[in-house]
Each structure stands twice: as C-alpha cells, then as structure tokens.
C-alpha cells in the first residue's frame, strides 16, 4: 500500500480544507447535474454547442469524483493509506477523464469557431453525426492516453519508500517511489501527458486568436457577445491547461511535489466550468426557469 500525505498538516487546517472541498465538490455535482438535466429535457437546447456542454458536464462529474471523495475521506482520517491496486485504478481514471476533457475542450473550440466564423454552414458542418463522432474520438483518445500512462507506471518495481506527497495517486509522485532508474520512463510519460496538454492548449489559443482576427472588422452586438464568451472560455482553459503543462512537461525526479498546484485543475476548474460555459447563457437560464416551474 501507499501512504498519502494529503494537503494540510494540522487538524484545524484539515477541518477547514474539508469544509471548503466538500462545498466545492457539492457545487460540481449539483451544477453539472442541473446542466445535464436541463439540456436533456429542453428541446430548445438541441444545438451542437449544448450537446458538447452536456458531455463536458458529465466528464467534469467523473473527473472530480476520481479524487474528491477520497480526499474528503482522508482529511477526516489519521492513516491515509491506499492499496496499490486502488492507486493504479485512480491513476488510470484520472488520466482517462482528464485527457478526454482536454480533447473535448479542443472540439468545443472548433464548434465555436464554426458558429462564429461560418454561421451559414454551421448546422451542416456540426451535424449530429459529426458531434457524436467527435465525442467518441475524445473518449477514445482519453483511453489511449491513459492506458499508456498506466502501463508505463505499473511496469516499474516498487520495493522501497511508500509515502506519496500528494492527496491522490498520479504518475509523477508514484513513479518517484520506484526503486530503479526512471529517467527513460519519466521522459516517455512527460512526452505523453506534457505534449498532449501543450498541443491542445496551443490549438485552443490559436483557435481563439483566429476567431478574434476574423471578427475584428465586424464587431456587431452579436460579435461582442461572442468575444466576451471566448474571453471567459479562455480564462477557464488557461486554469485547466497551464497547471497540467507545468506538472507533466518536466522531469519528475528533479522537481519537488506539486500537490498544491493539483488543486487548480482538479477542484477550481470543475467548479468554474458550469458557471463560465453554461450558466452565463440566457437560453440555459430561461430553460432552467421553465424546468423549475414544471417541477413545482
């Protein structure tokens, strides 16, 4: 088994962190479930954008559920032990849902580019079949990425230290415990996770930049709204991708633990996604009001 050191050192801080992370996890679950129910029950929200947002909400629930319940339980327990098999399972699903979300955010940027820059061809380009194919490709890409990370980790021998300086199992802190030279393995893992994060981030930045350049000469009220939406999306994308790039695109053995940086993509980003991507939409808010009236 491995011993997770967690985040705080004192009992008072543990209680404070538990309260904060419990509220954050509850917001992720309730916010994203509300979005899924709203989109699925309202025929007016049948556009490709809301189909992709519904999938993003589902991934956010899965992604944060990989780490948050375990972290909350450990904050109230004295011995924060996790079996080796459970650690590997957590590692696998963390990268599976995390990479799937990266790919889905990239697809959503393409959707916004099509809607803003090619509005007359939007429904033809982003048909229902294309949307399903893109979503399935995101899940397949996340699975392939995760299985590579997992296989590179489990083939290492673990026969020495068993203390993980983090609040969950991830590749960098786990492979630091291997009792062998991990130079080649860590660069293989960095070239996988790090490059996936970096390439997706550059594609997202490039897409939003192209959108800005395209609409700069026709700033109508609708385009100002589109620019505002792109700016808020870019803020959340940066919060999600930049920590991942910093964590994974480096040799793990030469850098200290980044457990406090992990909080940004695993807690803050899933909390903000429902507000930034969906709840700022007047259509969604109107649909939620109609749903509330039907349920009363």
């Amino acid at each position: 088994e491995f011993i997770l050191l967690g985040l705080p050192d004192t009992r008072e801080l543990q209680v404070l962190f538990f309260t904060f992370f419990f509220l954050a996890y509850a917001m992720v679950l309730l916010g994203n479930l509300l979005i899924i129910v709203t989109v699925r029950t309202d025929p007016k929200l049948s556009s490709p954008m809301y189909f992709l947002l519904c999938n993003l909400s589902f991934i956010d629930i899965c992604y944060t559920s990989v780490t948050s319940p375990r972290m909350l339980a450990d904050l109230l327990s004295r011995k924060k032990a996790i079996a080796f098999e459970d650690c590997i399972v957590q590692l696998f699903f963390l990268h599976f849902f995390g990479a799937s979300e990266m790919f889905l955010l990239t697809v959503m940027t393409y959707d916004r580019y099509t809607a803003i820059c090619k509005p007359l061809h939007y429904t033809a380009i982003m048909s229902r079949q294309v949307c399903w194919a893109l979503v399935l490709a995101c899940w397949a890409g996340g699975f392939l990425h995760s299985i590579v990370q997992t296989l590179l980790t489990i083939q290492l021998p673990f026969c020495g230290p068993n203390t993980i300086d983090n609040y969950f199992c991830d590749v960098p802190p786990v492979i630091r415990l291997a009792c062998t030279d991990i130079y080649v393995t860590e660069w293989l893992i960095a070239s996988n996770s790090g490059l996936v994060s970096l390439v997706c981030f550059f594609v997202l930045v490039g897409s939003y930049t192209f959108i800005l350049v395209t609409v700069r000469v026709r700033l109508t009220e609708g385009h100002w709204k589109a620019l505002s939406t792109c700016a808020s999306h870019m803020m959340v994308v940066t919060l999600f991708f930049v920590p991942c790039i910093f964590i994974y695109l480096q040799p793990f053995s030469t850098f200290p633990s980044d457990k406090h940086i992990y909080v940004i993509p695993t807690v803050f980003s899933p909390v903000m996604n429902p507000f930034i991507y969906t709840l700022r939409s007047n259509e969604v808010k109107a649909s939620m009001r109609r749903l509330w009236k039907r349920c009363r």
Side-chain angles (χ1 to χ4, degrees), residues 116-137:
I116 295 172
C117 300
K118 298 182 178 181
L120 299 179
H121 304 283
Y122 177 61
T123 54
I125 296 174
M126 296 297 294
S127 65
R128 197 69 171 178
Q129 293 78 9
V130 171
C131 289
W132 272 109
L134 291 172
V135 169
L136 291 175

Side-chain angles (χ1 to χ4, degrees), residues 3 11 37 60-61 69 74 81 102 107 120 198 200 211 217 219 256 290:
I3 304 299
R11 188 64 181 172
V37 171
D60 268 340
I61 291 174
D74 285 343
M102 288 184 181
V107 169
L120 299 179
L198 189 65
C200 288
I211 291 172
V217 294
L219 291 178
R290 290 193 294 270

Side-chain angles (χ1 to χ4, degrees), residues 63 98 101-102 105 236-244 264-265 269:
Y63 179 62
E101 179 161 344
M102 288 184 181
L105 289 171
V236 178
V237 162
T238 301
L239 281 176
F240 182 72
F241 277 90
V242 171
C244 292
I264 300 174
S269 183

Side-chain angles (χ1 to χ4, degrees), residues 11-280:
R11 188 64 181 172
E12 292 76 13
L13 280 176
Q14 287 179 344
V15 174
L16 179 64
F17 273 96
F18 176 85
T19 304
F20 172 76
F21 288 124
F22 177 80
L23 292 175
Y25 184 51
M27 289 174 63
V28 172
L29 294 181
L30 295 175
N32 285 291
L33 283 173
L34 179 60
I35 290 168
I36 292 173
V37 171
T38 302
V39 172
R40 297 292 296 174
T41 57
D42 193 339
K44 294 183 178 180
L45 301 179
S46 59
S47 68
M49 177 181 71
Y50 293 113
F51 173 76
L52 297 174
L53 286 172
C54 189
N55 279 274
L56 178 66
S57 293
F58 177 72
I59 292 180
D60 268 340
I61 291 174
C62 297
Y63 179 62
T64 193
S65 295
V66 173
T67 59
S68 292
R70 177 88 204 188
M71 175 179 61
L72 292 172
D74 285 343
L75 284 170
L76 299 180
S77 62
R78 294 189 178 275
K79 185 180 180 182
K80 304 171 177 60
I82 183 171
F84 177 79
E85 293 80 7
D86 295 340
C87 182
I88 295 301
V89 169
Q90 188 180 55
L91 183 151
F92 171 81
F93 282 106
L94 177 76
H95 282 267
F96 176 42
F97 294 121
S100 298
E101 179 161 344
M102 288 184 181
F103 297 138
L104 184 61
L105 289 171
T106 307
V107 169
M108 289 171 62
T109 306
Y110 174 71
D111 172 75
R112 290 299 81 210
Y113 160 76
T114 307
I116 295 172
C117 300
K118 298 182 178 181
L120 299 179
H121 304 283
Y122 177 61
T123 54
I125 296 174
M126 296 297 294
S127 65
R128 197 69 171 178
Q129 293 78 9
V130 171
C131 289
W132 272 109
L134 291 172
V135 169
L136 291 175
C138 292
W139 285 102
F143 177 81
L144 290 174
H145 162 79
S146 183
I147 202 69
V148 170
Q149 298 290 96
T150 305
L151 291 175
L152 287 172
T153 303
I154 62 175
Q155 54 87 28
L156 296 172
F158 296 94
C159 53
N162 69 334
T163 302
I164 297 177
D165 190 14
N166 208 334
Y167 57 93
F168 63 91
C169 289
D170 193 16
V171 175
V174 169
I175 70 169
R176 285 191 183 105
L177 305 180
C179 48
T180 185
D181 183 18
I182 62 170
Y183 180 80
V184 175
T185 303
E186 67 182 354
W187 278 109
L188 287 173
I189 292 174
S191 64
N192 187 339
S193 291
L195 284 181
V196 166
S197 305
L198 189 65
V199 170
C200 288
F201 181 66
F202 280 152
V203 170
L204 286 162
V205 172
S207 299
Y208 283 126
T209 302
F210 192 80
I211 291 172
L212 294 176
V213 171
T214 302
V215 303
R216 74 185 188 281
V217 294
R218 40 177 178 166
L219 291 178
T220 63
E221 183 178 350
H223 286 107
W224 276 115
K225 182 180 179 181
L227 293 179
S228 173
T229 302
C230 288
S232 59
H233 288 190
M234 198 61 227
M235 178 180 67
V236 178
V237 162
T238 301
L239 281 176
F240 182 72
F241 277 90
V242 171
C244 292
I245 294 171
F246 177 80
I247 291 169
Y248 297 112
L249 198 62
Q250 62 180 0
F252 308 139
S253 58
T254 58
F255 283 79
S257 174
D258 306 307
K259 62 181 180 179
H260 296 93
I261 300 176
Y262 276 107
V263 174
I264 300 174
T266 59
V267 178
F268 285 110
S269 183
V271 168
M272 294 184 66
N273 278 349
F275 296 98
I276 298 299
Y277 280 101
T278 308
L279 297 180
R280 293 176 73 248

